[in-house]
Amino acid sequence: EPEVTQTPSHQVTQMGQEVILRCVPISNHLYFYWYRQILGQKVEFLVSFYNNEISEKSEIFDDQFSVERPDGSNFTLKIRSTKLEDSAMYFCASRNTANYGYTFGSGTRLTVV
Amino acid sequence: QKEVEQDPGPLSVPEGAIVSLNCTYSNSAFQYFMWYRQYSRKGPELLMYTYSSGNKEDGRFTAQVDKSSKYISLFIRDSQPSDSATYLCAILSGGSNYKLTFGKGTLLTVNP
């Protein structure tokens, strides 16, 4: 069964450093998403991406965040200057036009120290 | 008012029990109602989704939606230890982006 692949599975970074979280969505999917889950809290929407541009972003997704689809397969989330409160699980997801159900990756656990 | 409310549990049941998981939502614009299962340190995995009020069955799982009271449920029959996980309700809003709004999740343990 096709999977969404995320790397790394765990990243530790110092406050103020830049991080890039990587995702390979399912190949025939056209819609891409990032969500995050702070420990003990809900899974929250960050951003949706379609046709090589952001289609919607949440209040969390401020100027410190950016997304990119640098080639035909990868989808990245960059946090420019990490804060302690950015520590969370970050999930990438994708879906195609025919299916409303997303496929999520296993997540990247980001720890900012 | 919070958009999606879900009792976080935890819920512990014996093997073979019928499990009932519930969520309420506030936004009438929500269109699709989904249940995800999440194992520890894994991403959410879609179990099933439904659009209209009523029941939808898939094997041991039944999703129920009551749009008039903004209430959704997931029933698990003949629960198994492998069903032990966190169950997340999620509501999909329409438009082109189909953004998901999640409940907090209910941690379920099925004891052998």
Side-chain angles (χ1 to χ4, degrees), chain B residues 67-80:
Chain B
K67 285 189 175 182
S68 63
S69 57
K70 299 191 180 70
Y71 195 84
I72 64 172
S73 300
L74 179 71
F75 299 97
I76 307 174
R77 288 186 301 281
D78 188 25
S79 54
Q80 303 294 309

Side-chain angles (χ1 to χ4, degrees), chain A residues 31 33 35 37 40-43 45 48 55-56 89 91 95 98-102 104-107 109, chain B residues 2-5 32 34 36 38 41-46 49 88 92 96-104:
Chain A
Y31 297 85
Y33 304 84
Y35 284 75
Q37 186 175 31
Q41 297 188 25
K42 294 181 179 184
V43 177
F45 169 77
S48 58
S55 46
E56 187 175 347
M89 282 289 286
F91 294 108
R95 69 174 185 90
N99 190 349
Y100 300 111
Y102 291 25
F104 282 86
S106 290
R109 182 153 63 102
Chain B
K2 292 181 182 175
E3 288 194 291
V4 181
E5 296 270 18
Y32 292 87
M34 308 198 162
Y36 282 84
Q38 186 177 26
R41 298 181 185 277
K42 294 290 187 183
E45 170 197 8
L46 180 66
Y49 69 88
L88 306 166
L92 194 74
S96 58
N97 301 314
Y98 292 104
K99 181 179 73 176
L100 280 172
T101 302
F102 282 89
K104 200 169 183 181

Side-chain angles (χ1 to χ4, degrees), chain A residues 11-37:
Chain A
Q11 176 137 12
V12 181
T13 189
Q14 291 207 324
M15 195 167 52
Q17 295 296 304
E18 175 183 286
V19 294
I20 297 176
L21 309 183
R22 303 182 190 279
C23 171
V24 179
I26 294 173
S27 60
N28 65 344
H29 285 188
L30 300 178
Y31 297 85
F32 312 113
Y33 304 84
W34 285 99
Y35 284 75
R36 80 171 185 190
Q37 186 175 31

Side-chain angles (χ1 to χ4, degrees), chain A residues 77-92:
Chain A
L77 174 69
K78 182 193 290 186
I79 309 175
R80 261 181 273 284
S81 177
T82 49
K83 307 186 201 61
L84 294 176
E85 54 265 36
D86 294 328
S87 296
M89 282 289 286
Y90 287 81
F91 294 108
C92 173

